[in-house]
Amino acid sequence: DRDLVHDVYVIGVDGSGLRRVTESRGDCAFPTYGPDGDTIYLTAVPDLGPAGRRHRTAARRHHPAPRHPRGSARGSGRGRTALVAPMMLAVTGGTGFVGGRLIDLAVQAGHSVRALTRRPQERRDGVEWIEGSLEDRDALERLVTASDAVIHVAGVINAPDAARFEAANVTGTLAMLAAATAAGARRFVHVSSPAAREPKVSLYGASKARSEE
């Protein structure tokens, strides 16, 4: 809708900052980092007319955006305020590129990680490696027991035929869902792929699309 204008605001992690940074059209809601290293949230707010603009002007006046000096913990990006309480995360695909980065960020944020691996891994603080695979029910049970959230990243991007893609990306996801449900996990995050939007283009995309069902 070309007549729908949204104001985009920056909100500090401590909730004290509120300031308008730009205007955009359509929905916009995503996290990013500001120049000072703090986590900020860009959230679309509809234009509510003169009354709404006056309200937001007052909010910006009473809650100015926080400024942090260069070299400070906040200014350097270190010592950010935790957004959630520490959790135990059960992760698959932790030895891959995406999963490995996920584990790094989770540990940095103060979470504990239990990660599935087919091969022995080096010890590291904050991470418990569970040897096994998506076909190993006992391993999956150990992985998800007492976890606050299950993050399923594992998947196959190269396989010789549709059956192999199906076994890894569809059956594997179902196995993780079954294990998480049996363990009473309250949060389940399934990492899919943009390829799932076009399932007719590739066997991989078709399998990822089915895994979302």
Side-chain angles (χ1 to χ4, degrees), residues 67-81:
R67 295 176 180 272
H68 306 294
R70 288 183 179 276
S72 67
R74 295 293 292 277
S76 63
R78 296 186 296 273
R80 300 189 184 103
T81 303

Side-chain angles (χ1 to χ4, degrees), residues 122-209:
E122 294 184 2
R123 292 178 177 272
R124 60 177 295 184
D125 292 339
V127 180
E128 177 187 356
W129 295 104
I130 303 296
E131 290 193 38
S133 66
L134 295 177
E135 296 84 21
D136 186 339
R137 291 185 178 182
D138 291 338
L140 297 188
E141 181 180 353
R142 296 196 305 274
L143 176 70
V144 301
T145 297
S147 62
D148 296 301
V150 177
I151 307 178
H152 180 46
V153 184
V156 168
I157 59 175
N158 293 304
D161 52 44
R164 301 291 180 86
F165 278 119
E166 186 83 9
N169 296 337
V170 181
T171 306
T173 299
L174 289 174
M176 279 306 305
L177 278 170
T181 301
R186 299 182 61 184
R187 300 179 179 88
F188 186 95
V189 179
H190 174 217
V191 179
S192 187
S193 167
R197 299 177 180 176
E198 299 293 340
K200 296 182 179 180
V201 173
S202 66
L203 294 176
Y204 167 69
S207 69
K208 295 302 286 186

Side-chain angles (χ1 to χ4, degrees), residues 31-44:
T32 185
Y33 286 106
D36 57 4
D38 285 336
T39 301
I40 62 176
Y41 285 90
L42 302 187
T43 304

